Amino acid sequence: MRRILSVLLENEAGALSRVVGLFAQRNYNIETLTVAPTEDQTLSRLTLTTHGDDREIEQITKQLNKLIEVVKLVDLTEGSHVERELMLVKIRTSNSQRAEIKRTADIFRGQIVDVTGSTYTIQLTGTKDKLDAFIGALADAVIMEVVRSGSSGLSRGEKVLAI
Amino acid sequence: MERISGADAVIRSLQEEGVEVIFGYPGGAVLHIYDALFRQNQVRHILTRHEQAATHMADGYARSTGRPGVVLVTSGPGATNAITGIATAYMDSIPMIVLSGQVQSHLIGTDSFQETDMVGISRPIVKHSFLLKKAEDIATAIKKAFVIATSGRPGPVVIDIPKDITSPTDLIDFEYPDTVDIRSYNPASKGHSGQIRKAISMVMEAERPIIYAGGGVIQGEGCQLLTRLTRTLGYPITNTLMGLGAFPGTDPQFLGMLGMHGTYEANMAMHHSDLILAIGARFDDRVTNTVSLFCPTAKIVHVDVDPASISKNVAVDVPIVGDVTQVLEEMNQLVDAQISERTEGQKSALADWWSQIEGWRGQECLKIIREESDKQIKPQEAVQAAYEVSGGGAYVTSDVGQHQMFAALYHPFDEPRKWINSGGLGTMGFGLPAAMGVQMAYPDEQVICITGEGSIQMNIQELSTCLQYSLPIKIINVNNQALGMVKQWQDMQYEGRHAHSYMESLPDFVALVEAYGHVGFRIESVDDLEPVMKEAFALKDRLVFLDILVDPEEHVYPMAVSPNGAMRDMWLRKGVRT
Ligand SMILES: Cc1ncc(C[n+]2csc(CCOP(=O)(O)OP(=O)(O)O)c2C)c(N)n1
Ligand SMILES: [Mg+2]
């Protein structure tokens, strides 16, 4: 099962390498990883998506918690949550395709953020599934480049991950 | 406020921590620190002959005293040489502080002379590490390192110190903190009382119970409480390789070690039990054999300070995360209050269980089989003789191989911290330096190193250090002229094809140790074993090396049947299995 782990990490040199190293060392997979400082400059917030059964995820969260620099963590997939990922797609557009591609982008609430005579760059945000679906819908177009941010997320409602 | 250099701050911090001895080897990046060491006489420095040995010495010191071992090495090769010892300590959860020199800050990342990314290289084998940026951080980092290394599940901590921040000309204000706040580090302390009650009610109702205790009980100083609990309950107990001595080895309730080379009775009792009370043990693969076949009828209570150890390999019924002493205290109180309520039915179930166990014991799985006329020494007899001659109260370190298992099986330990070996990593070369660390901590105690002719050669240069510091260790070289444990596996699984498990061209060990300035004896006949050993042990102030030629064909039994074996599946003798 796919899980989204959200981690508060000391914003210190070397902390991220410990998290990444742990996954490599213990043979856990990382699908996506995003990290940036929070409003509190001493903390980074890291979102990590991975796959595993309950037992594996329990081990991963326990091992993460053992890292000294991990302040707190939550498995967002345990409750209702908001998940967002940003994607930029550069597409080669022939004249005949341009209108069709624009329509598809509109359906997915994508925005065209750069245009040249032969390309569109479309920006899209949403869940992983939505972004995957958009790529699928572009099947006939020539995709030149895709860049995705990896998922970020937080719990719905009052629940927060904070110190 | 004192104004001192970074180098002095390092040594002052160690003084503040009450460190009495450190083990190390100098080099360019730590010269300022060595100079600071030279200008004081509170912290004693032991000059080893190899950085790996320095880490094992610190490790032996830590295992025998419970206090963290401290190591000082230079950058680059000094740091990489320390790696094996750090990994050894990590696998067995030993508190250790490793101070490594680093090149000057401005040279980091430039492939400068003797530069290596120590924090990176050691990352998977440390509990935590620090790369210091400025002299002002030294005291706090060292304080944090000691807190982290010694609390919760202990482990090694590396502090990498760039040379420039130790410069004698740059002075800083020095004040050693009494406490440090590490907001993200809160090791579990108190086990959940509800869980403890639940566990004890299962323990009291069990009909075929067994207590399975490991090194965590020793590390957590819970041995007396464990012994009391076990005696009040009257239950059988087994210890892991790391837990030997946690419960008195000569007590009739003790079934011996369990696991791959565990006794028949310990492994059978585990397999057939209906309740396992696991304390400070981690269901390691060397214990469980095939996990899916592990103890099919047992409910499991697991007490450990590390939440990640619980249900990692084997799913447990009642997890208790907490400090072993506190949990055992609560358990003892509950058992004391409930023991008189035990019904006749429960008492007779326990008696039946014990009679079944006595039946297994009757197999005498450790019996040494020898022809009366045969004068060749069995390796087990070498261990037994050391036990007899030393009176049984000595500190015993071992290396890795058959001799290690023979030591664990044939030398009972009645007290904790007396048996010192590399269990998790299985590091050949550990035994001698570990013994040296123990002897440093306890100059007046008897320290024995049980080793093999393979292992001893992995740190034999430390005989020189032993002379320098007058360490009267007794080295029992169980010389089977082979990498015995490797050869045993080749006998059992590769039809006796001994690929590189022979040690050809062995040195003349007696001549070698004499060259190092020590005393050596070679023993070849069983008749000489005890007399010569007595002579050796009588040389109280000398290191004596006993090169004991033993039967090269001997295997360690019992031995778990694998793959696809359960704990009850064992080889008992050559060609004989359960
Ligand atoms: C550093 C290291 N290298 C290799 C091994 C693998 N190994 C385990 S036991 C053993 C043989 C040890 O030989 P010896 O010290 O003579 O002990 P014996 O088994 O003969 O008693 C070897 C090579 C190890 N444990 N450690
Ligand atoms: Mg050997």
Side-chain angles (χ1 to χ4, degrees):
Chain A
M1 194 190 145
R2 177 170 176 267
R3 307 294 186 110
I4 308 172
L5 303 180
S6 198
V7 183
L8 276 181
L9 193 67
E10 294 288 359
N11 186 10
E12 281 169 6
L16 180 62
S17 74
R18 272 186 238 275
V19 173
V20 176
L22 175 75
F23 275 72
Q25 176 190 354
R26 299 210 176 251
N27 213 6
Y28 309 144
N29 82 305
I30 298 182
E31 191 181 80
T32 70
L33 176 69
T34 69
V35 59
T38 64
E39 81 287 3
D40 173 351
Q41 284 298 315
T42 68
L43 288 173
S44 297
R45 175 104 173 212
L46 183 149
T47 313
L48 199 153
T49 62
T50 183
H51 285 266
D53 58 27
D54 287 349
R55 189 117 165 245
E56 285 162 343
I57 299 299
E58 186 183 327
Q59 258 303 303
I60 292 176
T61 54
K62 282 174 168 177
Q63 293 293 351
L64 278 170
N65 265 317
K66 271 174 74 171
L67 297 179
I68 307 292
E69 283 130 339
V70 167
V71 183
K72 254 188 182 170
L73 75 94
V74 63
D75 177 356
L76 291 177
T77 24
E78 273 180 354
S80 62
H81 59 278
V82 179
E83 174 196 347
R84 286 294 178 273
E85 184 174 0
L86 172 78
M87 175 166 75
L88 297 170
V89 193
K90 190 179 287 181
I91 299 164
R92 182 159 318 282
T93 50
S94 61
N95 277 339
S96 61
Q97 282 178 315
R98 286 174 87 95
E100 173 62 20
I101 287 169
K102 169 95 174 63
R103 252 196 313 279
T104 310
D106 287 343
I107 293 168
F108 280 85
R109 296 182 201 284
Q111 286 164 283
I112 296 172
V113 292
D114 186 50
V115 183
T116 69
S118 55
T119 67
Y120 272 160
T121 297
I122 302 169
Q123 168 189 317
L124 196 70
T125 51
T127 62
K128 172 188 185 299
D129 288 348
K130 177 179 163 185
L131 304 193
D132 290 345
F134 181 62
I135 298 276
L138 289 174
D140 293 336
V142 178
I143 297 177
M144 299 167 69
E145 211 177 345
V146 173
V147 54
R148 296 171 70 148
S149 65
S151 299
S152 293
L154 38 67
S155 298
R156 288 187 184 274
E158 287 288 317
K159 229 170 118 185
V160 292
L161 179 67
I163 53 170
Chain B
M1 192 94 67
E2 289 173 75
R3 294 279 296 170
I4 59 175
S5 72
D8 285 319
V10 171
I11 301 305
R12 284 282 291 111
S13 301
L14 297 181
Q15 291 173 348
E16 292 288 333
E17 283 295 333
V19 173
E20 53 180 16
V21 59
I22 69 174
F23 305 88
Y25 208 93
V30 286
L31 282 177
H32 298 324
I33 301 177
Y34 267 84
D35 191 58
L37 258 176
F38 190 83
R39 289 183 278 98
Q40 56 91 54
N41 47 24
Q42 194 173 329
V43 178
R44 189 171 174 220
H45 176 272
I46 305 301
L47 176 67
T48 67
R49 299 296 178 267
H50 192 299
E51 291 87 351
Q52 182 192 345
T55 54
H56 294 328
M57 284 180 216
D59 185 322
Y61 176 90
R63 289 181 203 235
S64 59
T65 61
R67 298 195 295 275
V70 182
V71 178
L72 173 59
V73 295
T74 192
S75 67
T80 54
N81 271 352
I83 290 293
T84 301
I86 299 172
T88 303
Y90 180 72
M91 289 296 278
D92 289 340
S93 311
I94 304 304
M96 182 185 287
I97 309 288
V98 179
L99 305 166
S100 53
Q102 182 54 276
V103 299
Q104 298 176 59
S105 306
H106 75 275
L107 291 175
I108 293 180
T110 65
D111 301 317
S112 56
F113 179 62
Q114 295 196 327
E115 178 188 357
T116 193
D117 174 10
M118 180 56 168
V119 164
I121 289 180
S122 63
R123 201 203 60 237
I125 51 163
V126 295
K127 184 166 173 188
H128 196 53
S129 49
F130 298 89
L131 170 58
L132 299 187
K133 295 269 153 64
K134 51 186 198 299
E136 287 79 1
D137 296 342
I138 289 172
T140 318
I142 292 181
K143 180 77 199 177
K144 282 186 182 173
F146 274 85
V147 168
I148 291 168
T150 54
S151 55
R153 181 174 177 175
V157 176
V158 164
I159 309 177
D160 205 27
I161 311 174
K163 184 171 184 179
D164 50 307
I165 74 165
T166 60
S167 163
T169 53
D170 298 336
L171 302 187
I172 51 153
D173 289 335
F174 177 81
E175 191 174 13
Y176 198 68
D178 291 333
T179 55
V180 279
D181 172 41
I182 311 171
R183 63 176 169 185
S184 53
Y185 179 65
N186 302 296
S189 54
K190 205 178 165 312
H192 190 277
S193 293
Q195 290 287 88
I196 296 174
R197 269 198 303 280
K198 186 169 159 198
I200 288 303
S201 80
M202 283 164 65
V203 165
M204 296 303 293
E205 279 159 27
E207 297 190 338
R208 299 186 311 283
I210 183 162
I211 299 171
Y212 150 47
V217 180
I218 297 174
Q219 300 258 16
E221 302 290 351
C223 300
Q224 282 182 345
L225 290 164
L226 172 74
T227 303
R228 207 180 108 208
L229 183 75
T230 308
R231 291 208 172 123
T232 316
L233 286 166
Y235 287 178
I237 179 168
T238 176
N239 284 162
T240 65
L241 179 67
M242 298 312 298
L244 295 175
F247 183 83
T250 54
D251 189 292
Q253 275 174 259
F254 185 59
L255 305 188
M257 181 171 79
L258 82 170
M260 176 171 274
H261 290 296
T263 65
Y264 180 69
E265 52 270 36
N267 286 340
M268 292 300 273
M270 283 289 289
H271 185 88
H272 292 94
S273 65
D274 69 348
L275 180 112
I276 296 170
L277 174 55
I279 311 177
R282 60 187 176 96
F283 297 85
D284 174 83
D285 54 276
R286 281 291 187 270
V287 162
T288 58
N289 207 345
T290 313
V291 166
S292 58
L293 305 176
F294 178 74
C295 303
T297 50
K299 289 251 181 292
I300 303 174
V301 174
H302 189 186
V303 182
D304 205 287
V305 73
D306 176 12
S309 281
I310 290 179
S311 293
K312 179 169 66 179
N313 303 333
V314 170
V316 306
D317 300 282
V318 184
I320 301 171
V321 179
D323 170 58
V324 72
T325 307
Q326 171 260 329
V327 173
L328 279 169
E329 252 160 25
E330 278 195 49
M331 286 188 161
N332 269 301
Q333 281 166 13
L334 292 167
V335 169
D336 287 347
Q338 294 173 30
I339 196 77
S340 58
E341 294 158 23
R342 199 183 264 173
T343 65
E344 287 308 313
Q346 283 170 333
K347 285 182 196 162
S348 82
L350 184 59
D352 289 348
W353 178 226
W354 268 114
S355 70
Q356 197 174 357
I357 290 170
E358 292 305 338
W360 292 323
R361 243 186 200 157
Q363 289 270 330
E364 298 189 67
C365 68
L366 299 181
K367 193 170 170 169
I368 302 170
I369 301 158
R370 65 148 47 250
E371 304 277 320
E372 199 50 46
S373 58
D374 184 5
K375 294 293 176 203
Q376 193 171 38
I377 300 165
K378 297 282 182 191
Q380 300 90 325
E381 292 170 329
V383 170
Q384 281 180 333
Y387 177 70
E388 296 298 335
V389 171
S390 67
Y395 286 88
V396 178
T397 72
S398 93
D399 265 298
V400 173
Q402 290 183 320
H403 62 274
Q404 175 190 27
M405 293 301 131
F406 288 135
L409 291 168
Y410 290 84
H411 185 304
F413 292 92
D414 281 339
E415 291 164 292
R417 301 197 182 277
K418 291 254 159 130
W419 164 240
I420 286 163
N421 82 132
S422 164
L425 199 66
T427 309
M428 288 172 69
F430 175 81
L432 174 58
M436 295 164 66
V438 177
Q439 191 81 77
M440 291 286 174
Y442 301 105
D444 301 325
E445 298 282 333
Q446 182 73 72
V447 182
I448 301 173
C449 167
I450 296 181
T451 185
E453 79 302 320
S455 295
I456 191 67
Q457 293 189 79
M458 284 208 182
N459 265 320
I460 197 150
Q461 76 287 346
E462 296 307 321
L463 286 172
S464 169
T465 315
C466 290
L467 187 73
Q468 181 174 352
Y469 298 99
S470 309
L471 302 177
I473 298 163
K474 303 296 174 274
I475 300 174
I476 311 284
N477 188 36
V478 183
N479 188 343
N480 54 6
Q481 303 108 68
L483 302 176
M485 189 56 97
V486 172
K487 188 171 151 224
Q488 172 167 350
W489 282 58
Q490 290 168 337
D491 285 339
M492 296 174 78
Q493 294 176 15
Y494 298 88
E495 298 163 334
R497 290 187 298 279
H498 296 157
H500 300 275
S501 53
Y502 278 112
M503 296 291 282
E504 278 152 7
S505 61
L506 282 174
D508 175 344
F509 284 107
V510 171
L512 184 65
V513 298
E514 284 173 353
Y516 272 110
H518 304 297
V519 181
F521 295 120
R522 184 178 171 98
I523 312 179
E524 296 184 31
S525 161
V526 73
D527 295 335
D528 296 335
L529 187 56
E530 283 216 15
V532 177
M533 213 178 259
K534 278 188 182 136
E535 200 183 327
F537 279 73
L539 295 173
K540 291 262 179 262
D541 53 356
R542 297 300 299 273
L543 183 148
V544 186
F545 187 104
L546 293 173
D547 186 25
I548 306 178
L549 284 200
V550 300
D551 183 352
E553 301 303 325
E554 204 59 32
H555 284 176
V556 182
Y557 293 110
M559 177 166 173
V561 171
S562 73
N564 304 322
M567 283 198 82
R568 66 171 168 193
D569 300 317
M570 287 166 268
W571 293 100
L572 297 175
R573 283 188 294 285
K574 276 186 193 163
V576 181
R577 56 163 290 180
T578 49

